[in-house]
Amino acid sequence: MAQASGSGPAELQLNLRLPIDELHKSTVRGGVALSNSDVRMTPDTPALTRARGVVQFSDSGFSLKDVHAQALGGAVQLEGGLQVLPANAASSASALQMRGQGSASAEGLRQAPELGFLAQLAEHASGTAPYTLALTMRRGVPEIAGTTNLQGLAVNLPAPLGKAADSALPMRYTTTLTPESLAPDAPLHEDITLDAGALGSVRYVRDISSSSSAKVLRGAIAVGLGQGEEAPLPEHGVAANLNAAHINVDAWEAVLLPADKKSSAAPVATAPSPASADYLPTTLALRTGALTVQGRTLHDVVAGGARDGAVWRVNLDARQLNGYLEYHPAGAPRAPNGRLFARLSRLEVPPSSADTDTDTDTAAAVEALLNEQPGSLPALDIAVSDFHLRGRALGRLEVIATNHGSEGAQRAWHLQTFNLTTPEAALSANGSWALLNPIASTPGAQRRTELSFHLDINDSGALLQRFGMAGVIRRGKGQMRGQVRWRGAPLSPDYASMNGQINLNFESGQFLKAEPGLAKLLSVLSLQSLPRRLTLDFRDVFSQGFAFDFVRGDVTLAEGIASTNNLQMKGVNAAVLMEGSANIAKETQNLHVVVVPEINAMTASLVATAINPVVGLGSFLAQMFLRGPLMQAATQEFHIDGTWADPRVERVQRGSKDAAVPTPAATPPSTEGATE
């Protein structure tokens, strides 16, 4: 009897692919006594260390007697052996019959790289669990049947696979040749199944004829279908049927992504490798109460989709959206940085009060995502028929945006199209979002948003009402156009850093008597504060709201200060000319206001002349008084400063406004019963 022993542990290789007829011809007899030896059954199986026991050989095979060893961080006991099959044995018979039972630790699983994906999952486990194992072999291919209840092993994985150490989760893992593979010359097809009972199951049929790699022929993934329910195997591809209370794609991505991609602050979803893509679903049926993707959660989700290569096409219905989505990951054809194409009938980005199931404000999450490096997001081609933002119905939305630049280079968003259409108005814009300093590409570096926009308004009052500012303006139509830029993300305008130019041109409306809290700057422009502080001269004009034939002018923005020198408002009984500035962030103003009352044909034609912003209000007034000297006596000038909520009005003496000394405006003797 031979014995494996010595100063160090011996290693015994049992090549289980040894042809049975060769073993029979060798007529080997005797045995090997294992004493603290290392044994590896096949190159793809974990080593058995500190093995003790006897391997007995005969001319018909070998058998194990009282073999104990260490494997996967725990003890294991083995029995069984290999016997030469008779010539008339059934094709389903196995010459090898080995059985084992033992325990495996999370640490031991992590130190067995030959287990592949299982070793990766063990990074998120702790403790020890028992198992049983059966090993057979047909046509030279090992077949495994292993069972465990995982009791004693804590699993820190996302739902539904997470569990405490003291809870049980029965699982069975099997690999067998398919029945059609048992014929001597048939291709070798292997059936792999992981069954977790009511939790779900995973099953793949693979072609293992090639010694270099296995190819998935078809598969089925079932989660949450109930005890005994499993997704049927499709004719080809991999079908997934998922039903769960919560599916967190971000959490699973953190588990499954390689370590080098986990270290990235903003990983870009890339097309899977061809080998791993074989195991991913090609068709998907999904039902879940909550689906978390890219930091945002959708509720009451029902989806059906299909994958073509790396591209997913999905029909999706959820509480927040409904429609069709198409996702091209980074690296996919024609999408080097990824691309999201969506045609939605409805999309809601709710405030935190609507997100009753999470603590995250969805709108704030979108803004936080936009503050990341632009390369972390795919190109966007989105159209939404009914778009809601923070409880406001904003009509139809169209967005086309791409990000440019590669890893290590300057990246920037380019917004080719941003259209928002409601019954009251239509906004069209384009622009960019990039680093302020291309060299400062470190995380946290400041970025700047630049937008060119054109807003066509059919009904100003109805539009403001849509945004929660009812009763500020009645009717009014016209245009706003301009260019603005600020530090920060597109959805978070930073007024203190805002710069740009805006042109206003509105007609046929009326400023209503609104509380300053609703639209503070508009309440200043309406001049409704004048009647409270002046004589009764202008009460009929401004008290109940200034009705205008037009409002027009140019506004320049510089670090959050809005300035104008040519703002004009013309009504039936008066015209208002205005120059000065307003601090948008601090909500204060410093304005010079000229009121020209009693409009007649001559004064109307003069006031109707647009003020050239190069000339400014001063030169325009001089020319106007020269052509209509009677207007000068009736015209009054005022200085308005203070806050938007509580403006301060002072009458300015006639003459150059720069040389004029403001005097407090007269106040009526009594305002009791008067309309303010």
Side-chain angles (χ1 to χ4, degrees), residues 609-624:
T609 304
I611 302 177
N612 189 326
V614 176
V615 174
L617 178 58
S619 297
F620 179 81
L621 282 174
Q623 296 175 18
M624 186 178 71

Side-chain angles (χ1 to χ4, degrees), residues 1-6 31-35 37:
M1 176 181 294
Q3 179 172 329
S5 61
V32 176
L34 302 176
S35 177
S37 303

Side-chain angles (χ1 to χ4, degrees), residues 494-502 555-564 580-591 644:
D494 177 33
Y495 297 117
S497 65
M498 189 170 288
N499 294 273
Q501 300 84 33
I502 299 174
V555 177
T556 299
L557 291 164
E559 300 300 321
I561 306 297
S563 303
T564 182
S581 62
N583 189 315
I584 301 176
K586 296 181 179 179
E587 298 187 355
T588 60
Q589 73 269 309
N590 184 11
L591 302 174
W644 296 355

Side-chain angles (χ1 to χ4, degrees), residues 174-470:
T174 60
T175 66
T176 63
L177 287 178
T178 61
E180 59 269 19
S181 300
L182 297 179
D185 298 325
L188 292 173
H189 291 175
E190 180 183 49
D191 192 329
I192 301 178
T193 301
L194 177 64
D195 188 351
L199 182 62
S201 63
V202 178
R203 184 183 177 190
Y204 293 102
V205 175
R206 309 189 306 170
D207 186 341
I208 58 172
S209 301
S210 172
S211 59
S212 59
S213 63
K215 177 178 176 58
V216 174
L217 301 176
R218 51 191 183 142
I221 302 171
V223 174
L225 301 187
Q227 185 70 40
E229 295 288 334
E230 62 180 36
L233 279 174
E235 290 296 324
H236 54 81
V238 178
N241 194 334
L242 312 179
N243 186 358
H246 184 198
I247 298 176
N248 191 326
V249 176
D250 294 347
W252 276 109
E253 186 179 68
V255 170
L256 301 179
L257 272 181
D260 58 336
K261 292 190 176 182
K262 289 182 188 178
S263 61
S264 173
V268 180
T270 58
S273 65
S276 62
D278 281 353
Y279 293 87
L280 299 178
T282 53
T283 61
L284 171 68
L286 170 66
R287 183 184 296 273
T288 179
L291 175 67
T292 299
V293 182
Q294 292 290 313
R296 296 174 294 284
T297 300
L298 301 177
H299 300 89
D300 303 330
V301 178
V302 177
R307 178 174 61 87
D308 181 8
V311 179
W312 272 102
R313 297 178 175 89
V314 179
N315 287 302
L316 177 66
D317 180 69
R319 188 190 307 170
Q320 292 90 350
L321 64 88
N322 174 274
Y324 170 80
L325 297 94
E326 190 174 292
Y327 180 66
H328 301 247
R334 296 179 295 178
N337 294 321
R339 177 172 177 262
L340 177 64
F341 175 89
R343 293 296 180 264
L344 307 177
S345 62
R346 172 177 49 83
L347 173 62
E348 298 179 9
V349 182
S352 56
S353 59
D355 279 344
T356 55
D357 296 335
T358 67
D359 294 329
T360 302
D361 182 339
T362 307
V366 174
E367 294 172 357
L369 185 63
L370 286 173
N371 273 321
E372 296 295 337
Q373 181 72 8
S376 66
L377 295 175
L380 304 176
D381 185 347
I382 299 173
V384 184
S385 298
D386 185 14
F387 177 58
H388 293 246
L389 176 64
R390 299 176 178 176
R392 306 289 183 195
L394 300 185
R396 178 174 176 81
L397 171 69
E398 297 173 273
V399 176
I400 298 178
T402 56
N403 61 80
H404 296 272
S406 57
E407 188 67 31
Q410 167 65 4
R411 291 175 174 174
W413 271 97
H414 291 277
L415 185 66
Q416 293 99 317
T417 300
F418 183 89
N419 294 336
L420 194 60
T421 306
T422 70
E424 304 86 12
L427 170 69
S428 61
N430 59 74
S432 64
W433 174 54
L435 291 174
L436 277 170
N437 182 357
I439 300 176
S441 57
T442 57
Q446 288 187 323
R447 300 177 178 88
R448 181 173 63 190
T449 296
E450 295 187 1
L451 287 178
S452 296
F453 69 92
H454 185 181
L455 178 63
D456 279 310
I457 299 178
N458 299 320
D459 189 327
S460 303
L463 180 63
L464 290 174
Q465 183 174 352
R466 182 180 290 271
F467 284 90
M469 293 182 284

Side-chain angles (χ1 to χ4, degrees), residues 130-134 145-150 170-174:
Y131 67 89
T132 63
L133 183 69
T147 61
T148 178
N149 62 9
L150 295 183
M171 303 192 76
R172 178 177 175 81
Y173 174 77
T174 60

Side-chain angles (χ1 to χ4, degrees), residues 101-181:
Q101 61 180 8
S103 61
S105 69
E107 179 64 25
L109 293 171
R110 288 193 287 269
Q111 295 179 1
E114 58 273 8
L115 296 180
F117 181 62
L118 183 58
Q120 182 180 346
L121 293 183
E123 295 287 343
H124 307 272
S126 60
T128 302
Y131 67 89
T132 63
L133 183 69
L135 176 64
T136 59
M137 181 174 293
R138 294 185 293 180
R139 292 193 62 191
V141 177
E143 296 180 316
I144 300 171
T147 61
T148 178
N149 62 9
L150 295 183
Q151 195 159 17
L153 196 71
V155 181
N156 185 25
L157 286 173
L161 289 187
K163 63 174 290 294
D166 57 354
S167 64
L169 178 59
M171 303 192 76
R172 178 177 175 81
Y173 174 77
T174 60
T175 66
T176 63
L177 287 178
T178 61
E180 59 269 19
S181 300

Side-chain angles (χ1 to χ4, degrees), residues 13 17 40-47 112-116 142 144 211:
Q13 293 283 348
R17 292 182 180 269
R40 189 179 295 274
M41 304 301 292
T42 70
D44 297 328
T45 58
E114 58 273 8
L115 296 180
I144 300 171
S211 59

